Amino acid sequence: MKDLRTLKEEHVYVLYLNSKGKLIEKKLLGIGTINQTLIDSKIVFKWAYKLSASGFILIHNHPSGDETPSKADLKVTEE
């Protein structure tokens, strides 16, 4: 998402998808600091349930411009 590139803090979005992989809704779930933000998996799944989503894509920006996933990024992805 090109609109994330100019932000000065980390923003976490979830893209909720229907069974055909089409976007149902984009939700901003958090705004953090210059190098971190928190993600509450309960909220991610709550909205998936409310929207009857078949899947979702979790995205966030790196204000530093370094696209390399941090250790925290990898841990959250695994969880």
Side-chain angles (χ1 to χ4, degrees):
M1 296 176 58
K2 65 181 179 181
D3 53 332
L4 293 177
R5 291 183 186 153
T6 60
L7 300 173
K8 302 299 181 201
E9 303 88 13
E10 282 198 11
H11 286 60
V12 176
Y13 283 90
V14 183
L15 307 177
Y16 291 99
L17 310 173
N18 67 16
S19 61
K20 295 186 182 217
K22 300 292 182 184
L23 181 66
I24 298 170
E25 192 164 331
K26 174 178 83 171
K27 288 229 172 262
L28 174 62
L29 292 191
I31 299 173
T33 66
I34 193 166
N35 63 354
Q36 68 179 3
T37 192
L38 299 175
I39 302 167
D40 186 344
S41 59
K42 292 183 294 289
I43 294 173
V44 173
F45 287 102
K46 174 187 84 170
W47 280 108
Y49 177 77
K50 283 185 172 190
L51 296 168
S52 298
S54 294
F56 60 85
I57 300 170
L58 194 68
I59 59 172
H60 77 280
N61 64 321
H62 285 190
S64 68
D66 182 2
E67 297 177 6
T68 307
S70 67
K71 288 180 183 178
D73 291 342
L74 297 172
K75 181 180 177 191
V76 168
T77 300
E78 186 177 316
E79 289 175 359

